[in-house]
Amino acid sequence: WGTAITAVFFIIGAVIAPVFISPLLNHYKPLREGELKQNILSLARSEGIPVTNVYEFDASKQTKRMSANVSGLFGTTRISMNDNLLNRGSDREIMAVLGHEIGHYVLGHVTTGIIMFGLVILAGFAFTAWGFGFLTDLFGGVWDVRSVDDPAGLPVLMAVASFFFLIATPVTNTIIRSQEAQADIFGVNASRQPDGFAQAAL
């Protein structure tokens, strides 16, 4: 049940929030007409992404990071970039960054990410359940903690879960870095902007 609930939150964060929640926190508007917008739409169409507009949003009030995303499904798909990317990046950098984000979308990284992290979370809940039982069998009398529904056992649960995610760091990092590397390669091939990609990274 814990894994299922966590997966629901993953889906909300990755699929629903960018389309329906983020516009409540930031102002989204269509990117001004021009060559850049047409190039972005051409790139998206060449990769089979069904979009007819590109949006910009005012993330500069929260961060200095340059960012963009391709989000949504079932007719809600859209391309968005923050004002930091527009204000600080050249057209070549913008195309390179969007090529990377389009790569995440085309390669299905949201779906595979949810599945892989869901498996990690499942293993985490299983390990935490086992670790809690093991520790309370040994020290429950001293701690006066006997069952998982005892609020006094929360520190034990948190300690076991924290230990699991510490030792799982190589797994979670591999998932993230593999997807980022794949999107990097896809983005460079799609946008044909290796110099723009390097400049954006710097």
Side-chain angles (χ1 to χ4, degrees):
W1 283 109
T3 303
I5 293 169
T6 304
V8 169
F9 278 100
F10 280 158
I11 293 168
I12 292 172
V15 179
I16 297 173
V19 178
F20 297 106
I21 299 176
S22 293
L24 301 176
L25 307 174
N26 293 93
H27 177 65
Y28 281 69
K29 64 180 181 181
L31 181 65
R32 63 185 179 276
E33 295 296 330
E35 184 179 357
L36 175 62
K37 183 174 183 176
Q38 292 308 311
N39 287 341
I40 294 170
L41 289 174
S42 294
L43 176 60
R45 284 193 290 265
S46 72
E47 300 300 338
I49 298 178
V51 292
T52 57
N53 210 338
V54 181
Y55 296 89
E56 61 175 290
F57 59 99
D58 55 344
S60 58
K61 63 185 181 182
Q62 294 143 338
T63 179
K64 293 182 178 180
R65 290 184 62 227
M66 299 193 305
S67 181
N69 63 74
V70 181
S71 55
L73 50 94
F74 305 130
T76 66
T77 305
R78 71 177 178 188
I79 297 174
S80 306
M81 68 179 82
N82 70 17
D83 52 353
N84 295 323
L85 179 58
L86 281 168
N87 296 333
R88 295 171 55 196
S90 66
D91 285 3
R92 293 195 304 175
E93 290 175 83
I94 292 170
M95 293 301 297
V97 169
L98 287 172
H100 172 95
E101 297 302 326
I102 286 171
H104 281 306
Y105 185 89
V106 172
L107 296 171
H109 285 165
V110 170
T111 302
T112 57
I114 289 171
I115 291 171
M116 288 189 286
F117 276 103
L119 293 173
V120 173
I121 293 294
L122 177 62
F125 275 113
F127 181 86
T128 303
W130 171 83
F132 181 89
F134 177 80
L135 291 173
T136 52
D137 285 346
L138 285 178
F139 305 109
V142 177
W143 294 340
D144 198 23
V145 175
R146 295 297 183 185
S147 62
V148 74
D149 60 351
D150 184 348
L154 184 58
V156 181
L157 284 173
M158 292 303 298
V160 175
S162 297
F163 176 75
F164 171 82
F165 284 105
L166 174 64
I167 61 175
T169 300
V171 176
T172 56
N173 281 359
T174 298
I175 294 170
I176 295 169
R177 290 174 181 175
S178 296
Q179 290 193 340
E180 291 302 320
Q182 291 168 6
D184 287 347
I185 295 168
F186 185 101
V188 170
N189 286 331
S191 68
R192 301 295 178 183
Q193 295 292 349
D195 292 339
F197 184 84
Q199 290 165 354
L202 288 171

